[in-house]
Amino acid sequence: MTDAPKKTKKTIGELLLEKGLISNAQLWEAMRVQSRTGESLSEILIKLGMVTTETIHELMGVQKINLDGLDPELIKLVPEHMLRKYKMLPFKKEDNRLTMLMADPANVLAIDDLRLVTGCKIEPVALEQHVVEEAIRKYFSIPEVEKIFDDFEVTTEQQESETIILEDEVVDEAPVVRLINSIFTQAIEQKASDIHIEPAENYVRVRYRIDGMLQEIMTLPKKIRSTVISRIKIMSNMDIAEKRSPQDGRIMLKLGSQEFDLRVSSLPTVYGEKIVTRLLDKGGMKSYRLENVGFAPESLSVFKDALKSSYGMLLITGPTGSGKTTTLYAALNEINTIEKNIITVEDPVEYMLEGINQTQVNPKARMTFAAGLRAILRQDPDVILVGEIRDSETAQIAVKAATTGHLVLSTLHTNDAAGAFTRLVDMEIEPFLVASSVLGAVAQRLVRLICPKCRQSYVPAPDSPARLFMGIRPDQPLTLYRGAGCNECRNSGYRGRMAILEILPMTAGLRSLILKNASADEVKQKAQAEGMVTLKADGLQKALKGLTTIEEVMRVAYADEN
C-alpha cells in the first residue's frame, strides 16, 4: 500500500463529468436518487448502469488492504454513526495525519466532518464498499451483543400485562428484555417512525426510519435471531409457533409520561421472520396544529377559510407517506368544538383525538369505507373524515354528503392538486357534481428539515444540477443551505420534517373548466394563472429560506415541471 494516496477535492461525479463518462443529466438523476436513498453517489451510478465498478475503482484508486490488523482503539476515534453513514474506517494515525479507508474518498463533506471531529489532517484511501461495510459490522455492535448473550438460553416467557412500561433500571432483567427495551427506547428518543429487524444470512440488522429515511443502528449475531423475534412476538400477542405466515400485533408502551402504540408486523423471509414496528405517540397529535404542517401564510389562510365552510368537500392528495393523514388530523383539531359532531372512518385509526368519534374499517365485518360512510350519515354529523376515497361507491356517497350540508375531508392518491378533480370524474362522478361539491384540493410532499445546529450556507457550482432545477443561470448569485452534520442529527444534516404544499381553491374559472371536462393539465395551468403556488415553487421558497435543502426538493418535486 502506498503511503501517499490520491488526493482530490473533486467529487466522483465531477471526475466522471470531466472525463466525459457521464452526462449532466445522468449526474442529476443519480443525485436525485441519492437524496432519496442516502447511498453513495458512486454506488448509485453503478446500480443505474451509468458506469462500471471497474471505472469507479480506477478513478478512486481502490487498493487491496489487509484489515486484520485494524486497531480497535483507533477505530473509537471516530463516532460509530459517522463511520456507518460515510462507510469508512480509520486505518492508521501518524502524528496529526489520519489515514481513512473510505468507500467514497472523494466525499468532501465526509472529509471535512472528520477533520472537525478528530482535529487531524485526513488522508483518504479508497476501499471497496462491501469490504468497508463488512469491517464495520465486525468491529461494531456484534462483539458487544455476543458478549451479553454468551450465557443466554431461550426460555418460555409468560405474556406480560397489556401496557409494558420501559424503565430506566433494567439491570436485573434477562438480556433479551434489556436489548428489546433498549431498541424501543432508543427509537423513541430518536423520534423514529418505524423499527426494522431484518434477518440476514450471518447476522440480524436493526434499522430505524428517521425523518422518512432508513438508518442502520446496529447488527446482532445470528444465534440470537429467533430469541429476539420470539420476544417481540410475545410482547405483541402473536403466535410464536407460527413462522410461515405473516402476522400482525400490537404493543402498548409507556416511557415516563409518554404512551406509545406500536403496530407490529411479521413477514417470513428466506433467513427467518422480519419484524417491522410502527411507533405512534398516542398524545403527540392532540396538540398538533395546521401552523406546524408547513403552510405558507397565504396558503394557510386559504385552507382555514375552506374549513370554515358548513358543507362541501376538501381533498388532500399525495403518495403514501406524504403526511396526508397528519394534515387532516391537524385540520380536525382546528375545527373541533363542542358544537360540532365530528365522525371519522379510517383504515386504521392511527391517533386518538379527544372529542371526535372515530371508527375503523373492518372488511371481515363488512365495514368498508362506503358502509361506514352510509352509517355515519345517519349519526347526525357536521364534519366527516373519510380516510381515503378508493372507489366509485365511496366517492359517490362522499359527494352526496358534501352537497347535503356536511363538511367532508378526505384523501386521494394523485400527483398534484389539479388531479383530484379529474380523479373524481374518473370515479364516475358527474363533472357538475365535482364543480359544485369540492371546495378545494391540497397536494403535499414531506421534505427533511436542515438541522438548525449545523446549518451552513454555500454557493452551488455554476454547472450544478441545482441551478438547472431552479432555472438559475450559472452567472447569477445563489446561496443555498445544508447541514454539515453533528451529534444532534446523527451526522445526517437533517432533523425533523415539514410539508411542501400546493393549495388549489375552487374558483369560478375552475368550475367552468371542470364542467367542460377539462384535463388535469388544463386545470393546473388555469390555477397557476390565478396565482396558485406549485409544489416545486413552495419547495424552492423553503430551500432559499434555509429550511430544507435543494436536494430534498429535487427528490420529492422534480416531476413538477412548472
Side-chain angles (χ1 to χ4, degrees):
M1 185 189 81
T2 57
D3 291 330
K6 292 183 180 180
K7 287 177 61 181
T8 178
K9 290 188 177 181
K10 294 181 179 178
T11 66
I12 191 66
E14 290 170 333
L15 290 171
L16 290 167
L17 277 177
E18 275 187 5
K19 293 184 175 292
L21 297 172
I22 61 172
S23 65
N24 265 311
Q26 287 176 312
L27 178 58
W28 187 14
E29 175 64 23
M31 290 176 67
R32 285 204 301 265
V33 175
Q34 183 186 38
S35 67
R36 186 174 67 250
T37 65
E39 297 173 295
S40 69
L41 193 61
S42 56
E43 186 178 5
I44 292 166
L45 288 166
I46 293 169
K47 283 184 177 180
L48 294 177
M50 295 175 181
V51 295
T52 63
T53 304
E54 292 72 21
T55 300
I56 295 290
H57 286 179
E58 183 180 345
L59 276 177
M60 295 194 305
V62 171
Q63 304 179 31
K64 298 293 184 182
I65 297 175
N66 184 358
L67 299 180
D68 293 339
L70 284 178
D71 183 358
E73 293 303 314
L74 183 61
I75 292 175
K76 294 177 182 178
L77 190 64
V78 182
E80 178 187 348
H81 63 84
M82 281 186 67
L83 301 181
R84 289 187 182 278
K85 177 185 177 183
Y86 293 126
K87 296 180 174 58
M88 59 187 181
L89 278 173
F91 184 65
K92 66 178 180 180
K93 187 174 184 291
E94 298 174 345
D95 298 326
N96 198 41
R97 188 184 301 272
L98 179 63
T99 302
M100 294 294 298
L101 305 179
M102 302 179 65
D104 185 3
N107 189 332
V108 180
L109 185 60
I111 293 172
D112 288 343
D113 286 349
L114 276 170
R115 191 180 296 115
L116 289 172
V117 169
T118 63
C120 297
K121 184 178 180 180
I122 306 301
E123 294 286 354
V125 174
L127 193 63
E128 291 180 333
Q129 180 170 313
H130 71 90
V131 177
V132 176
E133 289 176 338
E134 184 60 36
I136 291 173
R137 196 170 290 128
K138 174 183 177 182
Y139 282 91
F140 287 100
S141 299
I142 288 181
E144 297 178 7
V145 176
E146 282 183 339
K147 184 177 180 181
I148 291 174
F149 283 86
D150 274 344
D151 302 321
F152 182 75
E153 295 181 2
V154 180
T155 59
T156 302
E157 301 185 42
Q158 297 298 318
Q159 176 65 42
E160 299 188 2
S161 62
E162 183 179 347
T163 300
I164 297 169
I165 300 177
L166 297 183
E167 302 285 1
D168 293 331
E169 298 294 331
V170 289
V171 178
D172 296 330
E173 295 182 303
V176 68
V177 177
R178 297 203 308 271
L179 174 65
I180 299 304
N181 282 4
S182 174
I183 290 173
F184 287 159
T185 304
Q186 188 176 353
I188 291 169
E189 289 173 349
Q190 295 186 24
K191 300 188 183 331
S193 61
D194 301 87
I195 303 169
H196 291 237
I197 299 178
E198 305 165 314
E201 184 176 5
N202 298 311
Y203 61 93
V204 178
R205 179 169 65 175
V206 180
R207 295 193 289 175
Y208 294 164
R209 187 176 295 280
I210 301 173
D211 296 333
M213 308 294 282
L214 281 171
Q215 300 178 18
E216 184 172 315
I217 302 301
M218 69 177 74
T219 52
L220 307 173
K222 177 183 178 180
K223 68 179 183 179
I224 66 168
R225 179 175 61 201
S226 59
T227 303
V228 169
I229 300 302
S230 295
R231 167 64 183 170
I232 295 176
K233 290 175 74 174
I234 287 171
M235 293 172 70
S236 54
N237 204 23
M238 292 183 186
D239 182 358
I240 63 171
E242 179 54 74
K243 301 180 180 180
R244 298 170 297 175
S245 300
Q247 295 186 65
D248 293 315
R250 189 172 180 179
I251 304 172
M252 305 300 291
L253 288 184
K254 188 172 183 180
L255 181 60
S257 60
Q258 289 179 288
E259 292 186 357
F260 294 88
D261 184 1
L262 275 59
R263 310 289 173 86
V264 185
S265 170
S266 73
L267 178 72
T269 71
V270 174
Y271 296 114
E273 290 178 283
K274 173 180 177 176
I275 298 286
V276 174
T277 303
R278 167 66 57 89
L279 282 75
L280 302 172
D281 183 355
K282 293 181 67 177
M285 198 56 63
K286 293 178 181 177
S287 59
Y288 199 77
R289 294 291 177 263
L290 286 172
E291 287 76 10
N292 306 126
V293 172
F295 283 101
E298 311 81 35
S299 299
L300 180 60
S301 177
V302 172
F303 189 73
K304 284 187 173 182
D305 284 344
L307 287 175
K308 292 175 183 176
S309 177
S310 58
Y311 64 92
M313 183 186 294
L314 192 56
L315 298 167
I316 312 290
T317 72
T320 301
S322 59
K324 299 187 298 295
T325 302
T326 300
T327 301
L328 286 178
Y329 280 176
L332 291 183
N333 283 335
E334 182 74 22
I335 60 178
N336 185 15
T337 63
I338 195 68
E339 295 86 10
K340 290 182 179 177
N341 177 21
I342 302 176
I343 309 179
T344 76
V345 54
E346 306 170 60
D347 182 23
V349 173
E350 293 191 3
Y351 297 97
M352 308 299 181
L353 301 177
E354 189 174 350
I356 293 174
N357 306 282
Q358 297 171 267
T359 185
Q360 186 163 303
V361 167
N362 185 355
K364 292 181 180 178
R366 298 180 182 177
M367 178 63 172
T368 62
F369 276 118
L373 195 46
R374 282 198 194 92
I376 287 172
L377 289 174
R378 297 191 291 270
Q379 292 284 314
D380 186 30
D382 296 296
V383 181
I384 302 170
L385 185 149
V386 184
E388 183 183 346
I389 296 178
R390 296 176 179 172
D391 52 53
S392 176
E393 185 181 11
T394 306
Q396 289 173 0
I397 302 170
V399 167
K400 180 182 178 182
T403 55
T404 55
H406 307 90
L407 178 62
V408 179
L409 309 179
S410 191
T411 69
L412 276 175
H413 283 287
T414 63
N415 291 329
D416 54 19
F421 304 120
T422 53
R423 177 60 59 86
L424 289 176
V425 174
D426 292 340
M427 289 181 172
E428 301 176 0
I429 305 299
E430 292 293 339
F432 77 89
L433 286 174
V434 175
S436 61
S437 64
V438 179
L439 298 168
V442 177
Q444 71 177 65
R445 305 286 189 276
L446 291 179
V447 293
R448 290 179 291 173
L449 293 170
I450 299 173
C451 174
K453 294 285 186 182
C454 60
R455 183 175 64 182
Q456 61 184 23
S457 62
Y458 72 100
V459 177
D463 59 347
S464 69
R467 287 182 179 271
L468 180 62
F469 179 72
M470 300 175 75
I472 295 179
R473 297 195 313 270
D475 59 334
Q476 283 183 281
L478 175 63
T479 300
L480 295 174
Y481 302 85
R482 63 190 171 198
C486 63
N487 289 332
E488 291 287 329
C489 60
R490 285 185 59 86
N491 227 55
S492 68
Y494 296 99
R495 192 178 179 192
R497 287 191 293 176
M498 75 184 309
I500 61 172
L501 308 108
E502 67 180 26
I503 180 164
L504 197 166
M506 183 65 78
T507 63
L510 292 179
R511 279 196 185 92
S512 63
L513 276 180
I514 294 168
L515 289 170
K516 295 174 184 176
N517 209 9
S519 67
D521 287 339
E522 292 174 297
V523 173
K524 184 172 184 176
Q525 288 171 10
K526 177 66 174 175
Q528 286 182 262
E530 293 181 351
M532 182 188 77
V533 178
T534 65
L535 278 169
K536 177 180 175 181
D538 188 50
L540 293 182
Q541 289 175 11
K542 289 180 169 71
L544 290 171
K545 290 178 181 176
L547 297 174
T548 188
T549 63
I550 192 64
E551 289 79 13
E552 278 293 284
V553 181
M554 291 166 65
R555 175 173 68 90
V556 302
Y558 71 89
D560 191 343
E561 298 175 359
N562 297 299

